[in-house]
Amino acid sequence: MTSTATETYDYSLRSYADTLRAYREAGYAVTGFERYLAAPQEKHLVLRHDIDNTIEQAMRVARVDAEAGCSSTFFLRVHARGYNLMSLQSLQFIQEMEALGHEVQLHLEGGLSDWLGGDNWSWAERQRAVFEAAVGRPLGGFSSHEPARMGGMDFANALREKWNDTVAYHAYEERFMMPNMKYLSDSSGRWREGHFGQWVGKEPLMQVLTHPFWWFEKVPAENY
């Protein structure tokens, strides 16, 4: 990292912002999936945020990304208990995210058929319909929420092929994962291979997944 970056690798938004700036200073393009596919760079970090709980925390991270000169992809759920995709506040946040240069797509989830009937195919179609109604445009990509509940990568690959009229990717495709691209995630609040700040300059192509719920301004308890 440069001298302007903190040496503390934690879940503070300061550490997060410093890390983004360090990647930019090291020559990386830091963008979401759509911009990566349109114009891949020799050194490129694909930045992804899965929004499991609250869209307010997502908006906070969206502003930090933009201030650091980065764009990213935010994947939003249809069935979240913590936010309503159709609420005025959510729609305003989505507009602001896109105005900041970010991409907003669907965080697709399974397991609903176990309790409500139907199957993963029908529930996926329903989620796509609700998402498209909310954002007012066709779906362009998706990430699976708890992929094992959605039939794993085989189902995601088949669904991406079925939806190829507008959907250009899903986040767990082989081209975005090892060995083609280094993948790091803060899932469950734990970096399994070290904070992504420790990887600056080590891999030319990366996908980094964060969940804004884990990131805080002063103390973790502010989020819950």
Side-chain angles (χ1 to χ4, degrees):
M1 279 196 170
T2 66
S3 60
T4 60
T6 179
E7 295 180 359
T8 302
Y9 299 111
D10 58 21
Y11 281 92
S12 69
L13 287 171
R14 178 188 174 190
S15 173
Y16 176 78
D18 284 345
T19 297
L20 292 183
R21 285 190 289 267
Y23 275 99
R24 297 283 290 127
E25 291 168 7
Y28 286 80
V30 181
T31 75
F33 286 90
E34 189 173 64
R35 290 191 179 185
Y36 169 75
L37 292 174
Q41 303 299 307
E42 185 175 344
K43 296 173 71 175
H44 209 127
L45 187 157
V46 178
L47 185 57
R48 162 187 166 198
H49 307 295
D50 285 356
I51 312 307
D52 294 341
N53 298 297
T54 76
I55 198 167
E56 291 92 343
Q57 290 164 358
M59 194 65 247
R60 185 170 62 178
V61 169
R63 293 168 183 147
V64 174
D65 288 351
E67 289 169 3
C70 304
S71 62
S72 51
T73 302
F74 288 82
F75 292 100
L76 302 181
R77 296 170 62 194
V78 166
H79 299 289
R81 291 183 64 182
Y83 62 93
N84 173 8
L85 203 61
M86 286 290 195
S87 73
L88 175 60
Q89 182 187 50
S90 293
L91 295 174
Q92 288 175 320
F93 281 151
I94 291 169
Q95 283 189 340
E96 184 178 348
M97 286 175 182
E98 294 181 333
L100 290 171
H102 302 309
E103 176 189 4
V104 178
Q105 302 291 357
L106 174 64
H107 198 22
L108 186 73
E109 51 203 298
L112 298 165
S113 60
D114 295 342
W115 306 100
L116 299 171
D119 55 33
N120 279 334
W121 291 101
S122 61
W123 281 106
E125 294 287 355
R126 291 168 73 173
Q127 289 175 72
R128 178 182 180 178
V130 172
F131 177 86
E132 291 182 338
V135 300
R137 57 166 170 78
L139 180 67
F142 66 91
S143 71
S144 299
H145 178 60
E146 300 179 340
R149 295 180 182 273
M150 203 67 185
M153 293 309 100
D154 288 342
F155 179 81
N157 290 335
L159 189 62
R160 182 253 189 269
E161 180 61 30
K162 181 180 180 182
W163 285 352
N164 67 7
D165 55 334
T166 66
V167 173
Y169 69 89
H170 74 78
Y172 289 108
E173 288 184 51
E174 290 183 1
R175 56 182 165 162
F176 305 127
M177 306 293 289
M178 290 293 288
N180 300 305
M181 185 176 284
K182 182 64 184 178
Y183 174 73
L184 298 173
S185 169
D186 69 354
S187 294
S188 300
R190 184 168 69 90
W191 296 102
R192 287 154 182 79
E193 297 184 75
H195 188 287
F196 78 121
Q198 298 171 276
W199 285 84
V200 177
K202 294 184 178 180
E203 295 283 347
L205 299 178
M206 304 180 67
Q207 179 192 165
V208 173
L209 165 62
T210 80
H211 299 78
F213 176 78
W214 302 119
W215 298 86
F216 59 87
E217 291 184 0
K218 295 180 180 178
V219 294
E222 71 195 28
N223 289 343
Y224 50 82

